[in-house]
Amino acid sequence: MSVNPYETAVTRYFEAWNAPSADARTKAVAAAWSEDGGYTDPLADVSGQEAIAAVVAGAREQFPGFTFRLAGTVDGHHGVARFGWELVSDADGSVPVTGSDVLTLAGDGRIDRVYGFLDRVPTGA
């Protein structure tokens, strides 16, 4: 059975977003993104692993006790993948934030760029 490079990249993406500590986050971002990779959504536009880790840390600080998870399936072709995600409360299972992302893969299979879209955001967030 062959490994799907898009599913692998998205799995690593969520490992970075859900890393439990700064050290784990740094390692997970390095495993997920190429050195000069980028992340863009309505709230951020950054390049480089350190800047990406800082964006992830900011989201984790804003939503402690929440887990990012895949919503649906990963669809990919020609080095591009799209997928939906949701931010789920560990305490009660509520889902205050949902979105969809498109990513491109670098030659080594890591993420080159992510373009994120926020589909549902709580008022005041």
Side-chain angles (χ1 to χ4, degrees):
M1 183 169 107
S2 65
V3 175
N4 182 316
Y6 306 107
E7 290 177 0
T8 299
V10 171
T11 296
R12 289 180 181 157
Y13 175 85
F14 284 112
E15 288 170 355
W17 281 96
N18 292 318
S21 68
D23 186 51
R25 186 169 30 257
T26 298
K27 290 176 183 174
V29 167
W33 268 271
S34 62
E35 285 82 6
D36 59 348
Y39 179 84
T40 302
D41 71 13
L43 307 173
D45 184 11
V46 299
S47 292
Q49 294 174 349
E50 188 175 317
I52 293 166
V55 167
V56 172
R60 302 296 307 161
E61 290 168 12
Q62 186 177 1
F63 293 97
F66 284 78
T67 301
F68 287 92
R69 73 178 180 200
L70 181 65
T73 59
V74 177
D75 183 24
H77 62 83
H78 294 91
V80 180
R82 67 178 177 167
F83 58 95
W85 55 266
E86 53 192 13
L87 184 63
V88 182
S89 168
D90 299 335
D92 64 14
S94 63
V95 181
V97 183
T98 64
S100 52
D101 289 0
V102 174
L103 64 79
T104 59
L105 295 181
D108 65 2
R110 289 187 293 171
I111 298 167
D112 180 46
R113 295 272 178 245
V114 173
Y115 302 95
F117 298 85
L118 300 173
D119 300 328
R120 180 174 64 223
V121 179
T123 304

